[in-house]
Amino acid sequence: MHQPAVPHLADSDPELAQLVESEAERQFHKIRLIPSENYVSTAVLEATGTVLTNKYSEGYPGRRYYEGQQLIDPIERLAVDRAKTLFGVDHANVQPYSGSPANLAIYLAFCQPGDTVMGMALPMGGHLTHGWNVSATGKWFRAVQYGVRKDTGRVDMDEVRDLARAERPKLIFCGGTAIPRTIDFPAFAEIAREIGAVLVADIAHIAGLIAGGAHPSPVGHAQVISTTTHKTLRGPRGAMLMSDAEHAKAVDKAVFPGLQGGPHNHTTAAIAVTLKEANTEQFRTYAHNIVANARALAEALVERGYDLVSGGTDNHLILVDLTNKGIGGKPAARALDRAGIELNYNTVPFDPRKPFDPSGIRLGTPAITTRGLGVEQMPQIAEWIDRAVRAADEGDGDALDRIAAEVRELLVNYPMPGWA
Ligand SMILES: *Cc1c(COP(=O)(O)O)cnc(C)c1O
């Protein structure tokens, strides 16, 4: 049953309640390897389901455009103060609705339409909002894009420096959605400083690793830090912008009134809970275990002949090029889902195939680490992945169903917050 239980929902809308129950059960029985997903705590779930959703509070604590903020103000202050303490930043804004609007606010704060900006290309591992052409950020700004080296699969800092010197972007984004290696914040900072650009570290994927001390921090290197709260940080769907004191005012003005109206106070409360949870020894252990699990899973996949972009991982994420296995990312991901292993198909750098049918799969260990799986289970997961990929290639659906049954058998021993 979903935890917390949803009896009122079941009464008033049984159809919807059934879908929610089934989704909780599905999450329980799957090895969830999508690297941007997680299981939030029951406390975080409870916070998102509170009466705070009833309240309008445009503005910031102490400077609101609506009355009745006696309790909303301390809730938002709690979230802001906890963010500042956890990450060691001068300033935090917890109001962005999600990662993409948070990034849009950064453009609004520091650029005019048509200005030059720089980020990592989407097919190389960047995010849509770092200037990719189908995104508003690629349409309304002149975006130049860097990538990774073909021989190493790692960000090409020489290319970043040369591009920055030639194009003089106002903003440089570092970070992305499919980067299996440590981001060199000091090197980016040196380049940004040389050309007078604002450096933005988009740590959406790795915020939990940074908070838990399992990845270097961008603080002191990037003037502005953007993050979602729902990936490795293990909070509600939302985002935060953090900055040094100099850039604080511009960030706040861009979020409100520049881009958004009323903040989602139930989400703000859940972010506060998340940040408290993240400032514990338990969370630091979780962050380090994510990396240990990813490393063990990567090694086990390499042993089975899988070709990993950059050869391995430093963080929570693994990008596999399936070309040598003779199967596309999409049919592999679909077969793996049937086998109880959930991940996503993904382009790999220099992918000769189309984005909707690319060569790779992307996987990561945050959610399974939250479930309590450890390095000793990683060879088994690699074996299942390998069997499923071969079964997919042979069109053997029964083999996939047999793997799914084995997966379920393992997972019954690993509780999941949100389902009991
Ligand atoms: C996930 C992600 C985002 C966008 O977050 P949404 O909440 O999906 O809008 C932005 N940047 C990076 C690097 C991300 O990984």
Side-chain angles (χ1 to χ4, degrees), residues 98-100 103 127 129-130 176-177 202 204-205 228 230-231:
S98 213
S100 303
N103 284 349
H127 190 260
T129 56
H130 297 182
T177 62
D202 184 345
H205 261 259
T228 56
H230 49 269
K231 297 179 184 174

Side-chain angles (χ1 to χ4, degrees), residues 57-106:
S57 53
E58 281 183 356
Y60 291 101
R63 296 173 283 137
R64 304 284 193 186
Y65 291 82
Y66 292 79
E67 296 311 311
Q69 310 298 337
Q70 293 84 353
L71 303 156
I72 298 298
D73 275 4
I75 288 169
E76 185 168 334
R77 283 203 182 100
L78 210 50
V80 168
D81 288 344
R82 287 174 180 175
K84 286 161 67 175
T85 304
L86 182 66
F87 287 96
V89 287
D90 295 336
H91 179 69
N93 184 314
V94 297
Q95 294 193 5
Y97 299 141
S98 213
S100 303
N103 284 349
L104 258 189
I106 297 171

Side-chain angles (χ1 to χ4, degrees), residues 180-388:
R181 295 296 181 176
T182 302
I183 297 163
D184 190 348
F185 298 120
F188 274 101
E190 195 187 311
I191 293 167
R193 205 177 308 119
E194 183 190 322
I195 62 155
V198 173
L199 178 63
V200 182
D202 184 345
I203 60 168
H205 261 259
I206 54 175
L209 302 185
I210 292 168
H215 186 290
S217 168
V219 176
H221 305 295
Q223 294 100 324
V224 180
I225 299 168
S226 172
T227 186
T228 56
T229 48
H230 49 269
K231 297 179 184 174
T232 48
L233 194 56
R234 209 162 62 181
R237 307 201 79 78
M240 306 193 295
L241 288 172
M242 299 178 277
S243 74
D244 58 16
E246 185 190 339
H247 296 80
K249 215 168 168 184
V251 165
D252 280 356
K253 267 179 64 183
V255 173
F256 176 85
L259 199 64
Q260 298 190 166
H264 294 179
N265 295 310
H266 55 305
T267 302
T268 302
I271 289 173
V273 174
T274 300
L275 294 168
K276 182 167 192 279
E277 290 176 354
N279 205 351
T280 59
E281 205 43 55
Q282 243 178 334
F283 191 91
R284 282 183 275 278
T285 302
Y286 147 81
H288 285 92
N289 286 348
I290 288 176
V291 175
N293 281 342
R295 210 160 277 172
L297 184 56
E299 276 168 22
L301 287 168
V302 167
E303 268 172 36
R304 290 178 179 278
Y306 284 82
D307 178 12
L308 310 194
V309 172
S310 83
T313 180
D314 297 328
N315 54 28
H316 64 302
L317 184 148
I318 298 167
L319 193 56
V320 184
D321 184 343
L322 289 171
T323 305
N324 69 348
K325 297 287 178 184
I327 185 169
K330 198 175 192 176
R334 179 148 308 164
L336 281 156
D337 189 60
R338 180 164 169 184
I341 297 168
E342 187 183 356
L343 42 67
N344 63 279
Y345 63 84
N346 215 96
T347 51
V348 296
F350 310 100
D351 203 323
R353 298 166 65 112
K354 296 205 169 60
F356 202 60
D357 184 22
S359 301
I361 49 174
R362 187 186 69 150
L363 51 153
T365 50
I368 56 170
T369 303
T370 297
R371 280 296 283 274
L373 272 69
V375 288
E376 55 294 355
Q377 275 87 39
M378 298 305 122
Q380 174 64 77
I381 293 178
E383 196 256 347
W384 281 326
I385 290 173
D386 190 31
R387 256 164 69 196

